[in-house]
Amino acid sequence: MTIKTELIDSLAVAEKEFKILSRRKGVVIPLLLFPLVMMIFFGYGMGGTLKDAPFLIVNSDTGQASSSLIQEVGSYTPKYDSYPMFSVTYSKDMSQSEAESKINAGVYKGALIIPPDFSDNIAKNQSTTLTLLTDSSDITASENIINTIKQLLTTTGLLKITGLVSLNVPNIYGNLEYLDFLTPGIIALTIFFGSVMTTGAAIAEEKESGTLVRMLMTPISKRSVILGKTFYQLILELAKAVILILVAYFLVGFRINGSWLLVALVLVLFTLGGVGVGIILSAKAESMESFDQLAMLVTMPSMFLTGVFFPLSSAPVWMQCLARCVPLTYAIDAMRTIMVKGQNLNAISTDLIILTLFAIVTFTLGVHLFRREA
C-alpha cells in the first residue's frame, strides 16, 4: 500500500468521523459551548470588581479628618468603572461586636470603625488606629475592601495622615484560605451533580433496557422503587460529603466552624431536590442520550452561575440575578454560612425555606411523572 493510498484512506476515515459527529448534536453543541461558557462566566466572575457593596462606617469622631475619610470611602469609584464600590451606611454608636454580628448575618460586606479621638490624634500628629472588619468568608470581596481602604489612606487628600494611621483587620472567622471558600461549594456541587445524574441515569437506563418494566411486573410498587432509589441516594451523597470534608481536613486543615447537624439538614433537603430533578428528566427522556442532553442543560449552568469557584459579589448584576434563580446558589450560601462562619439556624432560614420548596416541588412532580410515564 502506497503512502498516497494510505493518505486517501485516512481522509475517508476522518470524513466518516465528522459525519458521525454531525449527527450527534448532543455532543457537538457542548463541545462548542463549553469553552465559551467557561470564558464568559469565569471572566466576569473572577475578573469582576465590587459594585455597591454594603459597607458600614461606625464613626465616633466629629473632626475634620474622619469627615474627609468618610467622604473618600463613600465616593470611591474603581478605575474603569462607573459605579461606586460601596453602598455606605453610617452609624455613631455601634460597638465592634454589633458590627461583627451584622457582617455575620450578611447585612454588610465590611465595616470601618473610627475611634472618637481619631481627628484629635491626627491634629496632634499622634498615631491612631482604625479597625476594619470584613466578611472574610467572601475572600475576593474581603481582599478588595482591605486593599481599597489602604489605598484611600494614601490618596492626595489624606496623604498627610499616612504615617499616623494604622489599620487593624481582625480575622473574624480565623485565617481563611481559598480552600475554605471553595470546599462548601464543591460539596454542594458534588451533591447536586450526583443526585441528578445518578438517579436520573439509573432510571433512564432501566427504561431503555426494559429492566424497569420487568421490575414493575413484580409485586414491588412504583412508590417502593422511588423510595428505594431516594434512600440509596441520600446515603450515598451524605457519605460523599463526609469523605470530602475529611479529605479537606486531613490534607489542608479545613475545619467546620458550625453544626454538623445543620450541614446534614441542608444536604438532605438539597439531595431530595436533586433526586426530584433527576426523576423529572428521566421521565421526560426517551433514551440515555436524551437524558444526558437534558441533564447537561440543567447542571452545567448551575456549575458556572452559582459562585462555586468565585464569590457572586464580584460578578456583574445580570449574573447575580440569574444565580438567584438556581437552587444550588442557596445550598452553597447555607453551607458557607454554617461551615465557614459558624452561624446557627436563623442565619440560613431563607436558604432552608427555598431549599425545602425546591425539594417539595421537584420531588412531588418527579414522583407524579414517574407514576405516569413508567
Side-chain angles (χ1 to χ4, degrees):
M1 183 177 291
T2 65
I3 295 178
K4 181 179 179 180
T5 303
E6 286 190 353
L7 181 59
I8 293 174
D9 291 343
S10 299
L11 292 175
V13 172
E15 182 182 3
K16 184 264 296 182
E17 294 296 330
F18 277 111
K19 288 180 179 179
I20 294 174
L21 182 62
S22 66
R23 291 195 293 267
R24 299 176 63 188
K25 295 181 175 59
V27 175
V28 176
I29 294 174
L31 282 175
L32 296 175
L33 288 183
F34 187 75
L36 294 176
V37 170
M38 286 191 68
M39 285 190 293
I40 292 171
F41 287 110
F42 276 91
Y44 275 113
M46 302 192 78
T49 57
L50 287 179
K51 295 179 182 179
D52 291 324
F55 191 76
L56 173 67
I57 295 181
V58 181
N59 182 23
S60 301
D61 182 70
T62 57
Q64 181 61 39
S66 62
S67 297
S68 300
L69 178 59
I70 291 172
Q71 184 177 0
E72 292 281 350
V73 173
S75 61
Y76 176 74
T77 301
K79 192 176 182 181
Y80 307 119
D81 207 338
S82 57
Y83 295 93
M85 182 172 181
F86 301 115
S87 175
V88 180
T89 301
Y90 303 95
S91 176
K92 292 184 178 180
D93 54 359
M94 185 181 295
S95 66
Q96 180 172 328
S97 60
E98 289 175 318
E100 286 185 11
S101 66
K102 296 288 186 182
I103 292 175
N104 287 335
V107 178
Y108 302 109
K109 284 295 181 183
L112 182 65
I113 301 176
I114 303 174
D117 57 353
F118 179 76
S119 294
D120 286 341
N121 286 337
I122 296 300
K124 296 175 182 177
N125 206 32
Q126 296 177 354
S127 62
T128 186
T129 301
L130 297 172
T131 299
L132 178 62
L133 307 174
T134 64
D135 180 3
S136 54
S137 67
D138 185 341
I139 294 179
T140 302
S142 178
E143 290 179 350
N144 281 342
I145 290 172
I146 293 171
N147 291 334
T148 298
I149 297 300
K150 288 180 177 179
Q151 175 186 333
L152 290 176
L153 292 177
T154 59
T155 57
T156 304
L158 299 170
L159 188 60
K160 60 183 180 181
I161 65 173
T162 301
L164 302 177
V165 180
S166 59
L167 194 63
N168 174 37
V169 186
N171 293 319
I172 300 178
Y173 310 123
N175 295 317
L176 298 182
E177 302 291 340
Y178 178 66
L179 188 70
D180 296 290
F181 170 84
L182 183 64
T183 299
I186 290 295
I187 292 173
L189 180 66
T190 302
I191 298 303
F192 185 59
F193 269 54
S195 56
V196 172
M197 301 297 291
T198 305
T199 305
I203 296 175
E205 184 178 6
E206 289 171 356
K207 282 175 58 180
E208 190 173 45
S209 64
T211 304
L212 184 60
V213 174
R214 292 193 294 271
M215 185 187 301
L216 294 176
M217 292 174 65
T218 68
I220 297 177
S221 66
K222 293 180 180 179
R223 181 182 301 175
S224 297
V225 173
I226 291 296
L227 287 177
K229 291 183 179 295
T230 303
F231 288 147
Y232 160 77
Q233 204 63 48
L234 285 172
I235 295 170
L236 178 64
E237 299 307 329
L238 287 174
K240 283 183 186 177
V242 171
I243 291 172
L244 288 173
I245 292 170
L246 291 177
V247 168
Y249 171 75
F250 285 111
L251 289 184
V252 293
F254 174 81
R255 295 178 182 273
I256 292 183
N257 293 323
S259 167
W260 281 81
L261 289 177
L262 284 181
V263 171
L265 174 61
V266 172
L267 293 180
V268 167
L269 289 174
F270 195 45
T271 299
L272 287 174
V275 168
V277 172
I279 297 172
I280 292 170
L281 297 180
S282 65
K284 304 305 293 183
E286 298 178 356
S287 64
M288 269 298 298
E289 185 176 2
S290 60
F291 169 78
D292 289 338
Q293 294 175 29
L294 289 173
M296 188 169 292
L297 287 175
V298 172
T299 55
M300 293 307 291
S302 299
M303 178 179 179
F304 297 111
L305 274 176
T306 53
V308 176
F309 304 103
F310 53 82
L312 286 175
S313 59
S314 63
V317 174
W318 63 267
M319 189 184 295
Q320 295 182 33
C321 292
L322 288 176
R324 294 189 186 99
C325 300
V326 182
L328 180 57
T329 300
Y330 302 95
I332 293 173
D333 182 67
M335 294 284 283
R336 286 184 178 139
T337 301
I338 299 167
M339 299 174 75
V340 179
K341 294 185 176 182
Q343 295 299 292
N344 57 24
L345 186 64
N346 291 333
I348 61 170
S349 57
T350 301
D351 295 323
L352 286 180
I353 291 172
I354 293 173
L355 292 176
T356 301
L357 291 174
F358 169 61
I360 292 173
V361 171
T362 58
F363 195 76
T364 302
L365 181 59
V367 171
H368 171 72
L369 290 175
F370 180 81
R371 285 179 171 179
R372 191 180 69 181
E373 301 287 341

